[in-house]
Amino acid sequence: MIKYGVWAMIAVLAFPLCRLRAQEAFPAWEYKINGGFNIGGTSPLPLPAEIRTISYSPLFPLPHVALEAIYRLNGRWGISAQIALDYKGFKVDDQVKNLYTEIEMSDEIYSGSFTGKNTTRLHNCFITLPVAATCRVGERWEVQAGMYVAWLYSAHFKGTASDGYIRRGSPVGEKTIVDRASFDFSDRQRPFDFGPLVAGEWSFSRRFAARGQIAWGLNPAFASDFTGIPYKMYHIYGTLGLSYRLTAH
């Protein structure tokens, strides 16, 4: 009886030691390369009444490439930091009525209420720095939630106005026919963006995982003194791609 009791005591003491050793064997740092494509838009919320019809087209492919480092606090929780290169953009064709804007026609700038067709193309490049908490759910799933800051490295926000007219100053101002005009608001965009970020990964092998991510900008895309667009616009984009684990566990 004493013999069995001794063995039972040894087993009880050995269990936490084995567990501690298994935890110590788990790598404290993990490194990944994430790649994919961004799909989304830079949009007002909600859509203003001046936009009567709209046709949206994503610019594809717009790449997302990131190097990620995760510090594993234990087998479930961790802290993630990334540095990413993000290309984001879209194309929109819409019909507007009494939309206040600025257009250039015959080397002259017109400011006022435009009615007609509008085509906008945005193609920006950001350097993005996300920081997030990570949580493993089961053996294959991992979710992340945190914040990001982004620097606008290259900006392109251009378009055309056509088949309509503009009334200078107000909807009852002097009317000018617009066959075709252009606008370029690239250099009026804010240089920084920030907001919440959530992501999820599903591991289908020891090193590879499918990854999805949503980044929602809280900083308006244009400066507060910019009058070319009368409403606030926000960068809202999702990313679909793959994650490659450099340090396999």
Side-chain angles (χ1 to χ4, degrees), residues 100-114 166-169 174-178 181-183 185 228:
Y100 191 89
T101 188
E102 297 175 2
I103 58 176
E104 182 176 353
M105 186 170 55
S106 301
D107 297 326
E108 185 177 353
I109 301 298
Y110 291 78
S111 299
S113 298
F114 172 71
I166 188 169
R167 291 187 179 273
R168 288 192 167 184
E174 179 187 352
K175 182 177 180 180
T176 301
I177 300 299
V178 178
S182 64
F183 58 86
F185 302 150

Side-chain angles (χ1 to χ4, degrees), residues 82-162:
Q82 299 181 53
I83 180 169
L85 185 66
D86 278 308
Y87 287 88
K88 298 179 178 181
F90 65 95
K91 179 184 177 184
V92 162
D93 296 296
D94 51 20
Q95 187 79 30
V96 301
K97 183 175 182 180
N98 293 332
L99 174 68
Y100 191 89
T101 188
E102 297 175 2
I103 58 176
E104 182 176 353
M105 186 170 55
S106 301
D107 297 326
E108 185 177 353
I109 301 298
Y110 291 78
S111 299
S113 298
F114 172 71
T115 297
K117 295 181 180 179
N118 171 69
T119 297
T120 301
R121 182 183 177 93
L122 181 146
H123 189 184
N124 289 337
C125 176
F126 291 89
I127 296 176
T128 309
L129 302 173
V131 177
T134 73
C135 178
R136 283 184 170 157
V137 183
E139 295 182 357
R140 293 185 177 272
W141 281 98
E142 181 168 7
V143 294
Q144 299 180 345
M147 298 288 294
Y148 75 91
V149 293
W151 174 56
L152 182 58
Y153 175 74
S154 175
H156 180 105
F157 193 111
K158 299 180 181 181
T160 60
S162 62

Side-chain angles (χ1 to χ4, degrees), residues 43-48 216-217 231-234 236:
S43 172
L45 293 174
L47 288 177
W216 193 298
Y231 38 78
K232 295 179 179 180
M233 301 181 69
Y234 300 91
I236 306 169

